Amino acid sequence: MSFIEGLVCRECAHTYPPEALHVCEWCFGPLEVSYDYEAIRAATTRTSIASGPLSIWRYANLLPAVAEGSVDLGTGFTPLIRADRLAAELGLGELWVKNDTVNPTGSFKDRVVAVALSRARELGFKVAACASTGNLANSVAAHAARAGMRHYVFIPIDLEAAKVAASAVYGPHLIAVDGGYDDVNRLCAELAGEHPTWAFVNVNLRTYYAEGSKTLAFETAEQLGWQAPDHVVVPVASGSQLTKIAKGFQELAKVGLLDEPPAVRVSGAQADGCSPVATAFAEGATIAKSLAIGNPADGIYALDAVRASGGALTSVSDDEIVEGILLLARTEGIFAETAGGVTIACLAKLAAEGVVRADERVVVYVTGTGLKTIEAVAPAVGPTATIAPTLEAFAAIHDQED
């Protein structure tokens, strides 16, 4: 059953019914799902969750869609890996990597899309759509195919070939727009007005879509034996994932699944080329000043969550991103895409600065597979030697350290 009470504006607290709405008509603030937490507490236990599917739908009581009839590709309950070799490199103690590279389409976007399209079907939508730079397009196309829904996926014209193919394989319609992501997003906002029966997961369904990220917190706590970590490091694009992870830990305490309210420090990671939230944090500025260029939808809420928790926001260069990808791969055997490189590089920077401490239980979120962004590391990797097919040739380069 669903435990949704309705939608509420995050700015003025005006309430709405649980429909396909995402912006407050009074103040134009973003909407958020509200739940009956007392009813959830009465209906949900650690045992009932453990008896559920090995996917995000084991937490259905805390999501805005029911498990029965959900759009399900088996998303979630991804590995939480103790990363001792990476921790040793960074001078940390207990470090865990939440490895979302193994989701069905290779990224955490499967979490948010599964929730959004499941809710979309409950609301009667027949067509799935999105604006995307890759991972979301892959996920919407795959989940729409699974659900038997028509889909229209819009991408920038210069997207990486791997991400284009990973969307196109699921069938029509993949639409390349001659412009950047802002152009694609603007077009989709206009199309959502022209086609009110289409479920644009990151436009008119955004309120429900965003809730899928909470499952990263739910799984982390369960996999740690129903304990919250001391510190998490999360990649920041729109800021939604970070805010929802923070919300997820708080919700677990509200419904009695954690023994005490968690005091999780939340830190965020961005790339230097697009780091408005990290810039605002570094300058001690308001979001209005520092996000004039590049305005992530949840940037102000991510900034608030980080500051309130005692965490930090930082950014890293392109070279550091590649180094982060290679560091995670060689220490823990996980090949992350560029967003993962950002997160690992920022973790290293925060550890060196003493923000992330050796006495903390730390979880870092790696949200997509490197197989989609081969171009990022291709110039930095390759054969370590080229030899003739003879024993003598190998012996000449072999270091004799067997």
Side-chain angles (χ1 to χ4, degrees), residues 26 45 120 133 184 201 231 249 258 277 299 320 373 380:
W26 293 89
T45 65
T133 57
V184 178
V201 297
H231 203 151
F249 288 119
L258 293 180
V277 188
E320 289 172 311
T373 55

PDB file of all heavy atoms in Angstrom, residues 26 45 120 133 184 201 231 249 258 277 299 320 373 380:
ATOM      1  N   TRP A  26       1.981  28.895  -5.865  1.00  0.00           N
ATOM      2  CA  TRP A  26       1.957  30.101  -5.048  1.00  0.00           C
ATOM      3  C   TRP A  26       3.295  30.830  -5.055  1.00  0.00           C
ATOM      4  O   TRP A  26       3.334  32.055  -5.178  1.00  0.00           O
ATOM      5  CB  TRP A  26       1.565  29.750  -3.607  1.00  0.00           C
ATOM      6  CG  TRP A  26       0.150  29.265  -3.497  1.00  0.00           C
ATOM      7  CD1 TRP A  26      -0.286  27.978  -3.614  1.00  0.00           C
ATOM      8  CD2 TRP A  26      -1.017  30.069  -3.300  1.00  0.00           C
ATOM      9  NE1 TRP A  26      -1.657  27.908  -3.493  1.00  0.00           N
ATOM     10  CE2 TRP A  26      -2.138  29.197  -3.289  1.00  0.00           C
ATOM     11  CE3 TRP A  26      -1.233  31.439  -3.107  1.00  0.00           C
ATOM     12  CZ2 TRP A  26      -3.433  29.640  -3.104  1.00  0.00           C
ATOM     13  CZ3 TRP A  26      -2.529  31.888  -2.925  1.00  0.00           C
ATOM     14  CH2 TRP A  26      -3.623  30.999  -2.928  1.00  0.00           C
ATOM     15  N   THR A  45       9.249  -3.093   9.543  1.00  0.00           N
ATOM     16  CA  THR A  45      10.282  -3.520  10.491  1.00  0.00           C
ATOM     17  C   THR A  45      11.520  -3.953   9.715  1.00  0.00           C
ATOM     18  O   THR A  45      11.467  -4.157   8.490  1.00  0.00           O
ATOM     19  CB  THR A  45       9.797  -4.701  11.343  1.00  0.00           C
ATOM     20  OG1 THR A  45       9.585  -5.836  10.478  1.00  0.00           O
ATOM     21  CG2 THR A  45       8.503  -4.368  12.076  1.00  0.00           C
ATOM     22  N   ALA A 120       4.362   6.988 -12.418  1.00  0.00           N
ATOM     23  CA  ALA A 120       3.721   7.447 -13.650  1.00  0.00           C
ATOM     24  C   ALA A 120       2.631   6.476 -14.090  1.00  0.00           C
ATOM     25  O   ALA A 120       1.528   6.890 -14.493  1.00  0.00           O
ATOM     26  CB  ALA A 120       4.759   7.615 -14.752  1.00  0.00           C
ATOM     27  N   THR A 133      21.881  13.738 -20.373  1.00  0.00           N
ATOM     28  CA  THR A 133      23.229  13.718 -20.930  1.00  0.00           C
ATOM     29  C   THR A 133      23.780  12.298 -20.999  1.00  0.00           C
ATOM     30  O   THR A 133      24.977  12.106 -21.185  1.00  0.00           O
ATOM     31  CB  THR A 133      24.184  14.581 -20.084  1.00  0.00           C
ATOM     32  OG1 THR A 133      24.161  14.108 -18.731  1.00  0.00           O
ATOM     33  CG2 THR A 133      23.792  16.038 -20.118  1.00  0.00           C
ATOM     34  N   VAL A 184      18.437  21.191 -24.435  1.00  0.00           N
ATOM     35  CA  VAL A 184      17.611  19.987 -24.370  1.00  0.00           C
ATOM     36  C   VAL A 184      16.593  20.110 -23.243  1.00  0.00           C
ATOM     37  O   VAL A 184      15.398  19.813 -23.416  1.00  0.00           O
ATOM     38  CB  VAL A 184      18.492  18.739 -24.149  1.00  0.00           C
ATOM     39  CG1 VAL A 184      17.628  17.486 -24.024  1.00  0.00           C
ATOM     40  CG2 VAL A 184      19.494  18.580 -25.285  1.00  0.00           C
ATOM     41  N   VAL A 201      10.293  12.367 -16.686  1.00  0.00           N
ATOM     42  CA  VAL A 201      10.675  11.970 -15.329  1.00  0.00           C
ATOM     43  C   VAL A 201      11.389  13.078 -14.570  1.00  0.00           C
ATOM     44  O   VAL A 201      11.258  13.186 -13.344  1.00  0.00           O
ATOM     45  CB  VAL A 201      11.536  10.688 -15.337  1.00  0.00           C
ATOM     46  CG1 VAL A 201      10.756   9.509 -15.894  1.00  0.00           C
ATOM     47  CG2 VAL A 201      12.853  10.889 -16.076  1.00  0.00           C
ATOM     48  N   HIS A 231      30.115   9.630   8.012  1.00  0.00           N
ATOM     49  CA  HIS A 231      30.390  10.626   6.979  1.00  0.00           C
ATOM     50  C   HIS A 231      30.139   9.990   5.615  1.00  0.00           C
ATOM     51  O   HIS A 231      30.544   8.848   5.388  1.00  0.00           O
ATOM     52  CB  HIS A 231      31.854  11.069   7.072  1.00  0.00           C
ATOM     53  CG  HIS A 231      32.140  12.410   6.476  1.00  0.00           C
ATOM     54  ND1 HIS A 231      33.155  13.224   6.931  1.00  0.00           N
ATOM     55  CD2 HIS A 231      31.563  13.098   5.452  1.00  0.00           C
ATOM     56  CE1 HIS A 231      33.195  14.345   6.228  1.00  0.00           C
ATOM     57  NE2 HIS A 231      32.243  14.285   5.307  1.00  0.00           N
ATOM     58  N   PHE A 249      18.504   8.990   5.585  1.00  0.00           N
ATOM     59  CA  PHE A 249      18.956   8.596   6.921  1.00  0.00           C
ATOM     60  C   PHE A 249      18.012   9.123   7.998  1.00  0.00           C
ATOM     61  O   PHE A 249      17.709   8.423   8.974  1.00  0.00           O
ATOM     62  CB  PHE A 249      20.381   9.104   7.175  1.00  0.00           C
ATOM     63  CG  PHE A 249      21.437   8.371   6.404  1.00  0.00           C
ATOM     64  CD1 PHE A 249      22.251   9.037   5.496  1.00  0.00           C
ATOM     65  CD2 PHE A 249      21.632   7.003   6.568  1.00  0.00           C
ATOM     66  CE1 PHE A 249      23.232   8.370   4.785  1.00  0.00           C
ATOM     67  CE2 PHE A 249      22.604   6.323   5.851  1.00  0.00           C
ATOM     68  CZ  PHE A 249      23.408   7.010   4.959  1.00  0.00           C
ATOM     69  N   LEU A 258      16.367   2.952  12.608  1.00  0.00           N
ATOM     70  CA  LEU A 258      17.643   3.242  13.270  1.00  0.00           C
ATOM     71  C   LEU A 258      17.360   3.492  14.745  1.00  0.00           C
ATOM     72  O   LEU A 258      16.330   4.073  15.100  1.00  0.00           O
ATOM     73  CB  LEU A 258      18.318   4.464  12.647  1.00  0.00           C
ATOM     74  CG  LEU A 258      18.813   4.324  11.209  1.00  0.00           C
ATOM     75  CD1 LEU A 258      19.454   5.626  10.745  1.00  0.00           C
ATOM     76  CD2 LEU A 258      19.802   3.177  11.065  1.00  0.00           C
ATOM     77  N   VAL A 277      27.960  24.840  -6.605  1.00  0.00           N
ATOM     78  CA  VAL A 277      27.628  24.579  -5.202  1.00  0.00           C
ATOM     79  C   VAL A 277      28.902  24.585  -4.358  1.00  0.00           C
ATOM     80  O   VAL A 277      28.945  25.153  -3.265  1.00  0.00           O
ATOM     81  CB  VAL A 277      26.852  23.257  -5.047  1.00  0.00           C
ATOM     82  CG1 VAL A 277      26.344  23.112  -3.622  1.00  0.00           C
ATOM     83  CG2 VAL A 277      25.678  23.192  -6.021  1.00  0.00           C
ATOM     84  N   GLY A 299      20.513  22.966  -5.717  1.00  0.00           N
ATOM     85  CA  GLY A 299      21.782  23.461  -5.209  1.00  0.00           C
ATOM     86  C   GLY A 299      21.674  24.083  -3.837  1.00  0.00           C
ATOM     87  O   GLY A 299      22.489  23.820  -2.946  1.00  0.00           O
ATOM     88  N   GLU A 320      42.696  15.520 -12.015  1.00  0.00           N
ATOM     89  CA  GLU A 320      42.413  14.850 -10.745  1.00  0.00           C
ATOM     90  C   GLU A 320      41.273  13.840 -10.898  1.00  0.00           C
ATOM     91  O   GLU A 320      41.270  12.786 -10.242  1.00  0.00           O
ATOM     92  CB  GLU A 320      42.077  15.880  -9.672  1.00  0.00           C
ATOM     93  CG  GLU A 320      43.270  16.705  -9.212  1.00  0.00           C
ATOM     94  CD  GLU A 320      42.870  17.841  -8.298  1.00  0.00           C
ATOM     95  OE1 GLU A 320      41.929  18.591  -8.646  1.00  0.00           O
ATOM     96  OE2 GLU A 320      43.503  17.993  -7.227  1.00  0.00           O
ATOM     97  N   THR A 373      32.201   5.981 -20.278  1.00  0.00           N
ATOM     98  CA  THR A 373      33.033   7.167 -20.511  1.00  0.00           C
ATOM     99  C   THR A 373      34.491   6.768 -20.742  1.00  0.00           C
ATOM    100  O   THR A 373      35.412   7.332 -20.155  1.00  0.00           O
ATOM    101  CB  THR A 373      32.925   8.158 -19.332  1.00  0.00           C
ATOM    102  OG1 THR A 373      33.264   7.469 -18.112  1.00  0.00           O
ATOM    103  CG2 THR A 373      31.534   8.737 -19.220  1.00  0.00           C
ATOM    104  N   ALA A 380      45.158   8.005 -20.960  1.00  0.00           N
ATOM    105  CA  ALA A 380      46.039   7.755 -19.818  1.00  0.00           C
ATOM    106  C   ALA A 380      46.348   6.282 -19.594  1.00  0.00           C
ATOM    107  O   ALA A 380      47.148   5.946 -18.717  1.00  0.00           O
ATOM    108  CB  ALA A 380      45.400   8.328 -18.549  1.00  0.00           C
TER     109      ALA A 380
END
